[in-house]
Amino acid sequence: METFDLSRRLAAESLGTGILVTTVVGSGIMAETLTKDVALALLCNTLPTGAILVVLITVLGPISGAHFNPAVTLVFTGRRELPVNEAALYVIAQIAGGIAGTIAAHLMFGLPLLDLSTKVRTGGAQWFAEAVAAFGLVATILGGIRFQRAAVPWLVGLYITAAYWFTASTSFANPAVAIARSLTNTFSGIRPADLPGFILAELCGAIAGMLLMNWLLGQTKARGPVPVAETRS
């Protein structure tokens, strides 16, 4: 597998997170413009998000690993697959890219560059939903890498598409995306005041997912030759 230097990997993380946020915010704005049906608007927000994840992970994954998510970066750092100093730079790149993604979406729809959200997303149910969303995302990634590495882009895209609908929070599952979404007062926004609860829940869910999958995917003892007696009917 080709190895890319840190500057290119950081650029890929920033670009990928930016395009992801542009898709989330832009499709939400478009949905609000086209319909007043909240369920239909959510569907219009869901499908582009799942689709763009497949594209971004496929194209940028070979460069940086396609984390696009501080919680995912934390997991790979915890698994000693990414040095702490590089992980910190990954997170900075992801957050900067996410903010740029919000600005890009606003520019396309003629909105202020940044506009703090007033949408309330808080409470125990929302926080638990975010923990579940991040837990499932990490489990999907680690399981996919172990058993079907080539399918990871599709697995992640499909998981997020599903999680939009089975979680009460619509599955942010990503601190960088949450921060970027606090800067848009549109369909996909979240109040800045609600960020700490979401981010903490996402990080806790990601760590829990990592710990479970580390155990679940742990190497088992190879079974020896089958005794002759077991081969008889």
Side-chain angles (χ1 to χ4, degrees):
M1 181 177 177
E2 190 173 356
T3 301
F4 292 82
D5 62 36
L6 181 59
S7 63
R8 287 177 171 81
R9 286 185 281 136
L10 294 176
E13 284 297 302
S14 185
L15 177 63
T17 311
I19 295 175
L20 173 59
V21 170
T22 300
T23 303
V24 172
V25 175
S27 62
I29 297 170
M30 179 66 80
E32 278 189 316
T33 302
L34 297 177
T35 181
K36 301 302 180 184
D37 185 326
V38 178
L40 181 57
L42 182 60
L43 181 62
C44 293
N45 197 205
T46 302
L47 297 180
T49 303
I52 201 64
L53 279 167
V54 176
V55 174
L56 292 174
I57 297 171
T58 300
V59 174
L60 299 176
I63 300 176
S64 68
H67 297 184
F68 313 143
N69 184 337
V72 173
T73 296
L74 174 64
V75 166
F76 283 102
T77 303
R79 288 166 58 89
R80 299 183 180 179
E81 296 178 26
L82 185 70
V84 173
N85 61 321
E86 292 188 7
L89 294 174
Y90 264 48
V91 171
I92 292 171
Q94 291 157 359
I95 293 172
I99 294 171
T102 294
I103 292 173
H106 283 188
L107 281 172
M108 288 191 291
F109 287 93
L111 299 176
L113 295 185
L114 297 174
D115 189 11
L116 295 181
S117 177
T118 58
K119 180 168 286 189
V120 178
R121 298 182 190 262
T122 190
Q126 294 272 311
W127 299 332
F128 180 64
E130 275 304 287
V132 169
F135 175 92
L137 175 61
V138 168
T140 298
I141 292 170
L142 296 182
I145 289 173
R146 175 68 176 275
F147 299 118
Q148 291 289 339
R149 182 178 288 269
V152 168
W154 287 96
L155 294 174
V156 172
L158 289 171
Y159 173 79
I160 291 298
T161 299
Y164 252 87
W165 288 85
F166 74 71
T167 62
S169 61
T170 67
S171 184
F172 285 44
N174 185 330
V177 169
I179 291 170
R181 290 172 66 167
S182 74
L183 302 175
T184 180
N185 194 26
T186 60
F187 182 79
S188 60
I190 174 175
R191 287 189 313 177
D194 297 335
L195 283 176
F198 263 57
I199 292 173
L200 180 59
E202 290 158 0
L203 295 178
C204 288
I207 292 170
M210 177 189 71
L211 293 175
L212 176 65
M213 295 305 288
N214 283 350
W215 171 78
L216 192 61
L217 300 175
Q219 295 293 330
T220 57
K221 293 181 179 179
R223 188 178 181 186
V226 179
V228 174
E230 290 186 22
T231 66
R232 296 173 182 169
S233 57

